[in-house]
């Protein structure tokens, strides 16, 4: 049987013959590329995904009110309502784990900066701070500072493995950017990049679309594609080789992220947790964020559209919302739990449908960009593993210290570069004033290499007054020639 006959037979068996519509028009290289695309598809599996995903649309509007309960108080740490001495113990435990190289970071960095008006990976974006540092640099330097803090406390020079999940389109520019910037002072061998998977795009009848006559239309499989990628790209094996026991997973676009936060790591270890989530208190009942809660006794994130207004407005005796644990894509995992997900539960992850405007090749062979949704993309969400956890913990953090999303262009006025800068300025002013300094003006930035979370500033700022723009940095930064 020829290669074409084999392709035709396999596609016909799964009802996807349309992928070869333009075969006769393709040159040899184009045929090779199309054959590659088709052979990469596990058609039986992806067609089953389509059926599962679209069947969920039918009950997608069901409300979950009667099945929901808030998170358990005994597995809930509120940073702002916890004694400082207790937080210090958690922090020391977290730094001890870091010093023993047992902590890794999982960065979800597959997104492009398109909505920011930026034609590169979002992690390369410069929000306009006095330092002109990108998101990648800020996060890398926080990791470097943590390693130093852990060594100061324990005398052990542990290393944090930094696993970076890119997409097909962001892998090469991300790699180049890290190389050009000397890995922000980190060891290159501790930075491991891998690609998330993709799934084909379908029309509403379950036919896989062509992006071009010789290319199958594909899209990233969502941040929940993390678990399959960890397993299939050998990342879990790498973690086990290195002795990494605990992972902090987060998205690239939170400029206030406390990367590998030692307080949370310490709490996670003390609780013997296998999975956990950082949350912020919802600002009001209708804030458009999902909430971490229990449904039928299992943890999950319930979207704001899945509950009624009455449930959203429920309050406790102290006046706080009953369902107030706002999800911010900021999670902790035991490596053993991730292994269990990869080997047992990944195939059972929920599939979510997004109706999208997907460019496609029409019946005349013309590539069209539709002006209304014409098909679906199938995604998995990172938080859909919560239900498989046996020991789940929730950590509520102050929004003004740990969450400022960067999603939009400045013209939107929300979750944009302007708000990210303002949130950094506000937090860093708070650190300086807390250490006994004063600032005149708004612009205020502290290098992560100088202070991870406000520590160590007293000797530099106590009794001093600063006029903005203020940028406090280390001596090594004053003499370095870091590139961006």
């Amino acid at each position: 049987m020829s290669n074409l006959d084999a392709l035709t037979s396999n596609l016909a068996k799964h009802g996807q013959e349309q992928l070869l519509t333009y075969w006769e028009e393709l040159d040899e290289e184009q045929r090779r590329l199309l054959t590659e695309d088709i052979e990469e598809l596990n058609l039986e599996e992806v067609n089953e995904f389509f059926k599962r995903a679209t069947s969920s649309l039918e009950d997608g509007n069901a409300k979950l009110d009667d099945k929901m309960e808030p998170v358990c108080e005994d597995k809930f740490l509120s940073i702002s309502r916890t004694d400082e001495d207790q937080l210090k113990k958690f922090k020391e435990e977290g730094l001890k784990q870091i010093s023993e190289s047992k902590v890794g970071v999982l960065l979800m960095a597959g997104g492009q900066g398109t909505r920011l008006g930026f034609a590169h990976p979002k992690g390369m974006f410069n929000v306009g701070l006095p330092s002109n540092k990108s998101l990648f640099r800020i996060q890398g330097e926080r990791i470097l500072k943590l390693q130093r803090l852990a060594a100061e406390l324990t005398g052990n020079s542990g290393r944090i493995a930094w696993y970076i999940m890119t997409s097909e389109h962001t892998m090469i520019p991300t790699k180049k950017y890290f190389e050009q910037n000397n890995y922000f002072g980190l060891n290159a061998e501790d930075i491991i990049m891998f690609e998330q998977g993709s799934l084909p795009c379908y029309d509403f009848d379950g036919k896989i679309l062509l992006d071009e006559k010789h290319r199958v239309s594909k899209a990233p499989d969502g941040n929940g594609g993390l678990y399959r990628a960890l397993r299939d790209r050998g990342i879990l094996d790498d973690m086990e080789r290195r002795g990494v026991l605990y992972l902090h997973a987060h998205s690239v676009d939170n400029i206030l992220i406390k990367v590998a936060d030692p307080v949370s790591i310490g709490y996670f270890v003390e609780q013997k947790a296998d999975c956990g989530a950082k949350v912020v208190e919802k600002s009001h009942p209708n804030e458009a964020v999902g909430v971490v809660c229990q449904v039928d006794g299992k943890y999950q994130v319930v979207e704001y559209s899945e509950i009624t207004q009455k449930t959203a407005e429920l309050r406790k005796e102290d006046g706080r919302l009953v369902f107030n644990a706002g999800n911010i894509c900021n999670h902790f995992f035991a490596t053993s739990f991730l292994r269990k997900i990869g080997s047992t539960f990944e195939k059972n992850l929920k599939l979510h449908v997004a109706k999208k405007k997907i460019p496609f090749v029409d019946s005349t062979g013309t590539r069209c960009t539709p002006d209304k949704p014409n098909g679906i993309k199938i995604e998995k969400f990172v938080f859909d593993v919560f239900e498989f956890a046996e020991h789940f913990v929730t950590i509520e953090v102050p929004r003004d210290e740990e969450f400022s999303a960067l999603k939009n262009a400045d013209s939107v006025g929300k979750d944009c570069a302007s708000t990210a800068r303002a949130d950094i300025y506000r937090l860093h002013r708070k650190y300086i004033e807390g250490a006994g300094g004063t600032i005149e003006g708004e612009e205020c930035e502290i290098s992560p290499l100088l202070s991870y979370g406000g520590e160590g500033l007293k000797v530099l700022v106590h009794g001093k007054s600063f006029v903005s723009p203020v940028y406090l940095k280390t001596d090594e930064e004053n003499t370095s020639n870091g590139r961006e």
Side-chain angles (χ1 to χ4, degrees), residues 113-126:
T114 313
R115 282 168 64 185
L116 305 172
F118 182 64
H120 304 283
K122 194 186 275 190
M124 290 166 57
F125 189 72
N126 167 5

Side-chain angles (χ1 to χ4, degrees), residues 22-60:
Y22 304 102
W23 184 266
E24 296 304 323
E25 300 175 31
L26 306 182
D27 62 31
E28 195 173 323
E29 174 62 9
Q30 289 173 328
R31 288 179 178 182
R32 186 189 68 77
L33 289 169
L34 180 58
T35 300
E36 217 171 72
D37 276 2
I38 292 170
E39 287 180 343
E40 278 179 8
L41 298 173
N42 180 335
L43 287 167
E44 186 172 354
E45 181 181 56
V46 296
N47 280 353
E48 182 59 31
F49 283 173
F50 177 83
K51 285 178 193 164
R52 274 177 55 203
T54 50
S55 70
S56 70
L57 286 174
E58 295 164 17
D59 54 14

Side-chain angles (χ1 to χ4, degrees), residues 291-362:
V291 292
V292 177
C293 61
Q294 295 181 84
V295 176
D296 288 335
K298 293 186 174 180
Y299 279 93
Q300 73 175 66
V301 173
V302 171
E303 298 297 346
Y304 58 95
S305 57
E306 294 177 310
I307 56 176
T308 62
Q309 184 70 20
K310 183 179 177 184
T311 296
E313 291 177 350
L314 288 175
R315 293 188 182 271
K316 304 176 187 176
E317 287 182 8
D318 62 6
R320 292 165 57 237
L321 294 171
V322 170
F323 296 103
N324 70 345
N327 178 51
I328 55 173
C329 195
N330 195 333
H331 311 307
F332 292 87
F333 302 108
T335 307
S336 56
F337 176 73
L338 293 174
R339 176 64 80 183
K340 191 165 66 171
I341 294 299
S343 61
T344 307
F345 297 117
E346 198 281 333
K347 62 183 180 291
N348 301 325
L349 280 187
K350 289 176 191 166
L351 298 168
H352 302 266
V353 171
K355 294 182 179 180
K356 297 282 188 180
K357 297 179 234 179
I358 305 168
F360 69 104
V361 178
D362 70 10

Side-chain angles (χ1 to χ4, degrees), residues 22 47 61 73 133 145 234 329-330 378 382 384 416:
Y22 304 102
N47 280 353
N61 293 322
E73 291 292 334
K133 289 178 181 177
K145 179 62 174 176
C329 195
N330 195 333
I378 301 170
V382 66
D384 281 333
C416 59

Side-chain angles (χ1 to χ4, degrees), residues 81-232:
R81 294 192 293 278
T82 300
D83 177 81
E84 281 295 327
D85 288 341
Q86 183 62 65
L87 292 178
K88 187 178 176 216
K89 285 177 187 168
F90 291 144
K91 182 178 179 180
E92 287 177 354
E93 176 61 34
L95 289 172
K96 177 173 167 286
Q97 298 293 333
I98 288 167
S99 77
E100 295 170 0
S101 301
K102 292 179 180 175
V103 177
V105 173
L106 258 170
L107 174 63
M108 291 171 271
Q112 296 274 31
T114 313
R115 282 168 64 185
L116 305 172
F118 182 64
H120 304 283
K122 194 186 275 190
M124 290 166 57
F125 189 72
N126 167 5
V127 302
L129 294 169
S131 66
N132 284 313
K133 289 178 181 177
S134 65
L135 294 171
F136 279 144
R137 179 173 286 280
I138 290 167
Q139 291 166 28
E141 289 183 353
R142 285 179 186 152
I143 290 173
L144 188 54
K145 179 62 174 176
L146 264 187
Q147 290 178 167
R148 292 172 178 175
L149 288 173
E152 284 170 23
L153 178 72
T154 66
N156 295 333
S157 296
R159 310 226 298 249
I160 295 171
W162 196 8
Y163 298 97
I164 300 174
M165 185 172 78
T166 71
S167 65
E168 178 186 358
H169 302 294
T170 60
M171 172 62 92
I172 291 172
T174 300
K175 269 191 166 173
K176 282 184 181 171
Y177 184 71
F178 272 68
E179 288 165 7
Q180 288 165 356
N181 286 280
N182 198 29
Y183 302 93
F184 315 117
L186 294 161
N187 291 305
E189 61 268 28
D190 293 333
I191 298 173
I192 305 95
M193 296 185 192
F194 63 102
E195 275 183 39
Q196 72 183 105
S198 62
L199 288 169
C201 302
Y202 286 85
D203 68 15
F204 294 126
D205 296 320
K207 299 293 185 184
I208 296 172
L209 295 168
L210 284 170
D211 184 53
E212 297 177 58
K213 290 180 183 180
H214 65 288
R215 299 310 309 245
V216 171
S217 178
K218 294 181 291 186
D221 55 2
N223 56 19
L226 171 71
Y227 306 106
R228 177 174 287 217
L230 289 176
R231 180 192 70 201
D232 294 349

